[in-house]
PDB file of all heavy atoms in Angstrom:
ATOM      1  N   GLY B 205      -4.782  38.473  -5.936  1.00 52.00           N
ATOM      2  CA  GLY B 205      -5.771  39.415  -6.442  1.00 52.00           C
ATOM      3  C   GLY B 205      -5.988  39.253  -7.919  1.00 52.00           C
ATOM      4  O   GLY B 205      -5.458  38.338  -8.566  1.00 52.00           O
ATOM      5  N   VAL B 206      -6.822  40.149  -8.509  1.00 50.00           N
ATOM      6  CA  VAL B 206      -7.117  40.065  -9.942  1.00 50.00           C
ATOM      7  C   VAL B 206      -5.848  40.168 -10.771  1.00 50.00           C
ATOM      8  O   VAL B 206      -5.636  39.407 -11.736  1.00 50.00           O
ATOM      9  CB  VAL B 206      -8.124  41.163 -10.332  1.00 50.00           C
ATOM     10  CG1 VAL B 206      -8.294  41.134 -11.850  1.00 50.00           C
ATOM     11  CG2 VAL B 206      -9.434  40.925  -9.625  1.00 50.00           C
ATOM     12  N   PHE B 207      -4.938  41.073 -10.388  1.00 52.00           N
ATOM     13  CA  PHE B 207      -3.744  41.294 -11.153  1.00 52.00           C
ATOM     14  C   PHE B 207      -2.916  40.023 -11.255  1.00 52.00           C
ATOM     15  O   PHE B 207      -2.500  39.642 -12.324  1.00 52.00           O
ATOM     16  CB  PHE B 207      -2.898  42.462 -10.521  1.00 52.00           C
ATOM     17  CG  PHE B 207      -1.580  42.704 -11.248  1.00 52.00           C
ATOM     18  CD1 PHE B 207      -1.596  43.522 -12.385  1.00 52.00           C
ATOM     19  CD2 PHE B 207      -0.402  42.146 -10.797  1.00 52.00           C
ATOM     20  CE1 PHE B 207      -0.376  43.767 -13.016  1.00 52.00           C
ATOM     21  CE2 PHE B 207       0.767  42.377 -11.476  1.00 52.00           C
ATOM     22  CZ  PHE B 207       0.810  43.172 -12.580  1.00 52.00           C
ATOM     23  N   ASN B 208      -2.561  39.428 -10.074  1.00 56.00           N
ATOM     24  CA  ASN B 208      -1.688  38.254 -10.194  1.00 56.00           C
ATOM     25  C   ASN B 208      -2.438  36.987 -10.512  1.00 56.00           C
ATOM     26  O   ASN B 208      -1.817  35.939 -10.635  1.00 56.00           O
ATOM     27  CB  ASN B 208      -0.873  38.096  -8.879  1.00 56.00           C
ATOM     28  CG  ASN B 208      -1.724  38.041  -7.631  1.00 56.00           C
ATOM     29  OD1 ASN B 208      -2.927  37.788  -7.690  1.00 56.00           O
ATOM     30  ND2 ASN B 208      -1.056  38.340  -6.481  1.00 56.00           N
ATOM     31  N   ARG B 209      -3.748  37.052 -10.743  1.00 59.00           N
ATOM     32  CA  ARG B 209      -4.462  35.876 -11.270  1.00 59.00           C
ATOM     33  C   ARG B 209      -4.455  35.910 -12.800  1.00 59.00           C
ATOM     34  O   ARG B 209      -4.620  34.869 -13.445  1.00 59.00           O
ATOM     35  CB  ARG B 209      -5.936  35.840 -10.770  1.00 59.00           C
ATOM     36  CG  ARG B 209      -6.100  35.357  -9.351  1.00 59.00           C
ATOM     37  CD  ARG B 209      -7.545  34.968  -9.090  1.00 59.00           C
ATOM     38  NE  ARG B 209      -7.734  34.792  -7.669  1.00 59.00           N
ATOM     39  CZ  ARG B 209      -8.218  35.727  -6.857  1.00 59.00           C
ATOM     40  NH1 ARG B 209      -8.578  36.877  -7.333  1.00 59.00           N
ATOM     41  NH2 ARG B 209      -8.356  35.515  -5.576  1.00 59.00           N
ATOM     42  N   ILE B 210      -4.300  37.123 -13.404  1.00 57.00           N
ATOM     43  CA  ILE B 210      -4.356  37.199 -14.852  1.00 57.00           C
ATOM     44  C   ILE B 210      -2.964  37.489 -15.425  1.00 57.00           C
ATOM     45  O   ILE B 210      -2.404  36.771 -16.279  1.00 57.00           O
ATOM     46  CB  ILE B 210      -5.345  38.272 -15.295  1.00 57.00           C
ATOM     47  CG1 ILE B 210      -6.755  37.891 -14.856  1.00 57.00           C
ATOM     48  CG2 ILE B 210      -5.279  38.480 -16.803  1.00 57.00           C
ATOM     49  CD1 ILE B 210      -7.839  38.872 -15.222  1.00 57.00           C
ATOM     50  N   ILE B 211      -2.315  38.567 -14.924  1.00 63.00           N
ATOM     51  CA  ILE B 211      -1.001  38.920 -15.472  1.00 63.00           C
ATOM     52  C   ILE B 211       0.056  37.896 -15.143  1.00 63.00           C
ATOM     53  O   ILE B 211       0.874  37.528 -15.950  1.00 63.00           O
ATOM     54  CB  ILE B 211      -0.577  40.332 -14.953  1.00 63.00           C
ATOM     55  CG1 ILE B 211      -1.641  41.377 -15.291  1.00 63.00           C
ATOM     56  CG2 ILE B 211       0.774  40.697 -15.496  1.00 63.00           C
ATOM     57  CD1 ILE B 211      -1.884  41.480 -16.818  1.00 63.00           C
ATOM     58  N   GLY B 212      -0.022  37.372 -13.890  1.00 63.00           N
ATOM     59  CA  GLY B 212       0.946  36.335 -13.446  1.00 63.00           C
ATOM     60  C   GLY B 212       0.928  35.141 -14.344  1.00 63.00           C
ATOM     61  O   GLY B 212       1.965  34.707 -14.903  1.00 63.00           O
ATOM     62  N   PRO B 213      -0.236  34.500 -14.591  1.00 65.00           N
ATOM     63  CA  PRO B 213      -0.271  33.365 -15.482  1.00 65.00           C
ATOM     64  C   PRO B 213       0.163  33.657 -16.912  1.00 65.00           C
ATOM     65  O   PRO B 213       0.807  32.806 -17.513  1.00 65.00           O
ATOM     66  CB  PRO B 213      -1.780  32.970 -15.462  1.00 65.00           C
ATOM     67  CG  PRO B 213      -2.286  33.453 -14.146  1.00 65.00           C
ATOM     68  CD  PRO B 213      -1.534  34.735 -13.844  1.00 65.00           C
ATOM     69  N   LEU B 214      -0.130  34.881 -17.361  1.00 67.00           N
ATOM     70  CA  LEU B 214       0.306  35.221 -18.745  1.00 67.00           C
ATOM     71  C   LEU B 214       1.779  35.257 -18.887  1.00 67.00           C
ATOM     72  O   LEU B 214       2.371  34.629 -19.806  1.00 67.00           O
ATOM     73  CB  LEU B 214      -0.295  36.553 -19.143  1.00 67.00           C
ATOM     74  CG  LEU B 214       0.055  37.058 -20.561  1.00 67.00           C
ATOM     75  CD1 LEU B 214      -0.359  36.079 -21.609  1.00 67.00           C
ATOM     76  CD2 LEU B 214      -0.516  38.446 -20.818  1.00 67.00           C
ATOM     77  N   THR B 215       2.447  35.953 -17.932  1.00 71.00           N
ATOM     78  CA  THR B 215       3.928  35.988 -18.007  1.00 71.00           C
ATOM     79  C   THR B 215       4.546  34.665 -17.733  1.00 71.00           C
ATOM     80  O   THR B 215       5.561  34.259 -18.357  1.00 71.00           O
ATOM     81  CB  THR B 215       4.460  37.034 -17.010  1.00 71.00           C
ATOM     82  OG1 THR B 215       4.015  36.704 -15.676  1.00 71.00           O
ATOM     83  CG2 THR B 215       3.980  38.432 -17.337  1.00 71.00           C
ATOM     84  N   ASP B 216       3.958  33.861 -16.839  1.00 73.00           N
ATOM     85  CA  ASP B 216       4.488  32.528 -16.517  1.00 73.00           C
ATOM     86  C   ASP B 216       4.365  31.599 -17.716  1.00 73.00           C
ATOM     87  O   ASP B 216       5.173  30.664 -17.859  1.00 73.00           O
ATOM     88  CB  ASP B 216       3.805  31.929 -15.301  1.00 73.00           C
ATOM     89  CG  ASP B 216       4.142  32.682 -14.008  1.00 73.00           C
ATOM     90  OD1 ASP B 216       5.127  33.389 -14.010  1.00 73.00           O
ATOM     91  OD2 ASP B 216       3.341  32.518 -13.041  1.00 73.00           O
ATOM     92  N   CYS B 217       3.371  31.809 -18.551  1.00 73.00           N
ATOM     93  CA  CYS B 217       3.197  30.968 -19.758  1.00 73.00           C
ATOM     94  C   CYS B 217       4.391  31.059 -20.673  1.00 73.00           C
ATOM     95  O   CYS B 217       4.797  30.066 -21.293  1.00 73.00           O
ATOM     96  CB  CYS B 217       1.937  31.326 -20.472  1.00 73.00           C
ATOM     97  SG  CYS B 217       0.426  30.603 -19.765  1.00 73.00           S
ATOM     98  N   PHE B 218       4.937  32.303 -20.823  1.00 71.00           N
ATOM     99  CA  PHE B 218       6.113  32.417 -21.654  1.00 71.00           C
ATOM    100  C   PHE B 218       7.323  31.699 -21.073  1.00 71.00           C
ATOM    101  O   PHE B 218       8.121  31.111 -21.819  1.00 71.00           O
ATOM    102  CB  PHE B 218       6.409  33.929 -21.853  1.00 71.00           C
ATOM    103  CG  PHE B 218       5.394  34.627 -22.710  1.00 71.00           C
ATOM    104  CD1 PHE B 218       4.476  35.449 -22.120  1.00 71.00           C
ATOM    105  CD2 PHE B 218       5.369  34.437 -24.079  1.00 71.00           C
ATOM    106  CE1 PHE B 218       3.502  36.117 -22.934  1.00 71.00           C
ATOM    107  CE2 PHE B 218       4.457  35.077 -24.879  1.00 71.00           C
ATOM    108  CZ  PHE B 218       3.491  35.913 -24.274  1.00 71.00           C
ATOM    109  N   ALA B 219       7.421  31.724 -19.775  1.00 71.00           N
ATOM    110  CA  ALA B 219       8.492  30.950 -19.103  1.00 71.00           C
ATOM    111  C   ALA B 219       8.293  29.464 -19.333  1.00 71.00           C
ATOM    112  O   ALA B 219       9.245  28.717 -19.594  1.00 71.00           O
ATOM    113  CB  ALA B 219       8.520  31.241 -17.611  1.00 71.00           C
ATOM    114  N   TYR B 220       7.035  29.012 -19.260  1.00 72.00           N
ATOM    115  CA  TYR B 220       6.723  27.635 -19.515  1.00 72.00           C
ATOM    116  C   TYR B 220       7.111  27.218 -20.956  1.00 72.00           C
ATOM    117  O   TYR B 220       7.687  26.144 -21.171  1.00 72.00           O
ATOM    118  CB  TYR B 220       5.289  27.337 -19.292  1.00 72.00           C
ATOM    119  CG  TYR B 220       4.845  25.982 -19.797  1.00 72.00           C
ATOM    120  CD1 TYR B 220       5.125  24.812 -19.146  1.00 72.00           C
ATOM    121  CD2 TYR B 220       4.179  25.889 -21.067  1.00 72.00           C
ATOM    122  CE1 TYR B 220       4.735  23.570 -19.657  1.00 72.00           C
ATOM    123  CE2 TYR B 220       3.805  24.666 -21.575  1.00 72.00           C
ATOM    124  CZ  TYR B 220       4.066  23.506 -20.849  1.00 72.00           C
ATOM    125  OH  TYR B 220       3.732  22.291 -21.351  1.00 72.00           O
ATOM    126  N   LEU B 221       6.812  28.103 -21.901  1.00 72.00           N
ATOM    127  CA  LEU B 221       7.137  27.779 -23.341  1.00 72.00           C
ATOM    128  C   LEU B 221       8.636  27.650 -23.540  1.00 72.00           C
ATOM    129  O   LEU B 221       9.119  26.789 -24.274  1.00 72.00           O
ATOM    130  CB  LEU B 221       6.553  28.834 -24.249  1.00 72.00           C
ATOM    131  CG  LEU B 221       5.038  28.873 -24.435  1.00 72.00           C
ATOM    132  CD1 LEU B 221       4.619  29.969 -25.351  1.00 72.00           C
ATOM    133  CD2 LEU B 221       4.540  27.499 -24.910  1.00 72.00           C
ATOM    134  N   TRP B 222       9.412  28.521 -22.872  1.00 72.00           N
ATOM    135  CA  TRP B 222      10.833  28.424 -22.946  1.00 72.00           C
ATOM    136  C   TRP B 222      11.344  27.110 -22.356  1.00 72.00           C
ATOM    137  O   TRP B 222      12.196  26.429 -22.927  1.00 72.00           O
ATOM    138  CB  TRP B 222      11.495  29.600 -22.210  1.00 72.00           C
ATOM    139  CG  TRP B 222      12.986  29.559 -22.229  1.00 72.00           C
ATOM    140  CD1 TRP B 222      13.825  30.110 -23.172  1.00 72.00           C
ATOM    141  CD2 TRP B 222      13.862  28.947 -21.249  1.00 72.00           C
ATOM    142  NE1 TRP B 222      15.170  29.827 -22.843  1.00 72.00           N
ATOM    143  CE2 TRP B 222      15.175  29.128 -21.649  1.00 72.00           C
ATOM    144  CE3 TRP B 222      13.618  28.255 -20.057  1.00 72.00           C
ATOM    145  CZ2 TRP B 222      16.251  28.667 -20.937  1.00 72.00           C
ATOM    146  CZ3 TRP B 222      14.696  27.759 -19.325  1.00 72.00           C
ATOM    147  CH2 TRP B 222      15.973  27.957 -19.782  1.00 72.00           C
ATOM    148  N   MET B 223      10.767  26.780 -21.223  1.00 71.00           N
ATOM    149  CA  MET B 223      11.174  25.543 -20.530  1.00 71.00           C
ATOM    150  C   MET B 223      10.791  24.304 -21.361  1.00 71.00           C
ATOM    151  O   MET B 223      11.567  23.332 -21.479  1.00 71.00           O
ATOM    152  CB  MET B 223      10.538  25.466 -19.157  1.00 71.00           C
ATOM    153  CG  MET B 223      10.994  24.253 -18.333  1.00 71.00           C
ATOM    154  SD  MET B 223      10.373  24.328 -16.686  1.00 71.00           S
ATOM    155  CE  MET B 223      11.091  25.813 -16.071  1.00 71.00           C
ATOM    156  N   LYS B 224       9.623  24.369 -21.965  1.00 73.00           N
ATOM    157  CA  LYS B 224       9.191  23.238 -22.796  1.00 73.00           C
ATOM    158  C   LYS B 224      10.123  23.027 -23.951  1.00 73.00           C
ATOM    159  O   LYS B 224      10.452  21.864 -24.314  1.00 73.00           O
ATOM    160  CB  LYS B 224       7.769  23.487 -23.334  1.00 73.00           C
ATOM    161  CG  LYS B 224       7.215  22.368 -24.190  1.00 73.00           C
ATOM    162  CD  LYS B 224       5.777  22.672 -24.583  1.00 73.00           C
ATOM    163  CE  LYS B 224       5.216  21.487 -25.385  1.00 73.00           C
ATOM    164  NZ  LYS B 224       3.811  21.794 -25.834  1.00 73.00           N
TER     165      LYS B 224
END
Side-chain angles (χ1 to χ4, degrees):
V206 174
F207 178 83
N208 54 20
R209 283 197 193 96
I210 296 178
I211 303 301
L214 179 58
T215 57
D216 292 341
C217 279
F218 290 104
Y220 167 79
L221 289 181
W222 178 89
M223 184 173 300
K224 182 178 181 180

